[in-house]
Amino acid sequence: MAVDELDTRILRLLLEQPRTSVREYARILGVARGTLQARLDRLERDGVITGTAPALSPAALGHPVLAFVHIEVTQGHLDEVGDALAAVPEIVEAFSITGGGDLLTRVVARDNAHLEDVVQKLISLPGVVRTRTEIALRERVPHRLLPLVESIGRPARPGPDPRRPRDHGL
């Protein structure tokens, strides 16, 4: 789907001011409320906007330890293991991946002992061959989408014209 300049401005506002009303967004953008609502509906329908839930902090909820657990799965059991991961509340995300392992999970825990308990639970799931755990020390770039949204709204920089000979200083 094509995201135009107005869509980009709408998405920027949603990210920067998520608790603002549709009426206020329309006022800020200088568009009719109906126009804004139609754009929002289309962005949701096209899957650009995927939710409106608040962002929560696992650390503030008593789970300050963040780890990434790679899971290797017995061939043919990926769906079964993926379904079982959904029953583990400390897993906040899970992805099928290429490379070393079959699944990558983002796990939160109260402390290292709790993390070990979670990893042991994962190892005991039918179809899990082995795990590899990496503990995050410090978040360097928080989850963000605004720079991506802004880059989509910028015109592309033209490259060199392939029909024009280049002067190599010779």
Side-chain angles (χ1 to χ4, degrees), residues 142-165:
H143 180 76
R144 67 206 180 126
L145 292 173
L146 186 55
L148 176 64
V149 167
E150 289 175 337
S151 74
I152 292 169
R154 278 189 227 129
R157 293 179 64 203
D161 185 345
R163 297 169 292 170
R164 188 170 168 198

Side-chain angles (χ1 to χ4, degrees), residues 16-32:
E16 290 179 338
Q17 302 175 33
R19 300 184 72 147
T20 303
S21 70
V22 172
R23 180 185 310 230
E24 182 62 12
Y25 288 144
R27 187 194 67 73
I28 292 168
L29 294 168
V31 299

Side-chain angles (χ1 to χ4, degrees), residues 3 7 10 19 26 33-34 38 42 50 75-76 78-80 93 102-103 108-109 140 144-146 153 164-166:
V3 175
D7 293 332
I10 291 168
R19 300 184 72 147
R33 185 183 179 285
R42 182 179 52 81
T50 58
Q75 196 165 7
L78 189 60
D79 288 338
E80 175 186 322
E93 289 181 300
D102 300 298
L103 293 163
V108 296
R140 298 295 180 162
R144 67 206 180 126
L145 292 173
L146 186 55
R164 188 170 168 198
R166 296 177 93 180

Side-chain angles (χ1 to χ4, degrees), residues 5 11 20 56 60 85 95 101 112 124 129 132 155 162 167 170:
E5 191 255 331
L11 294 170
T20 303
L56 304 177
L85 295 178
F95 301 91
N112 287 348
S124 71
V129 176
R132 187 181 87 242
D167 179 8
L170 299 175

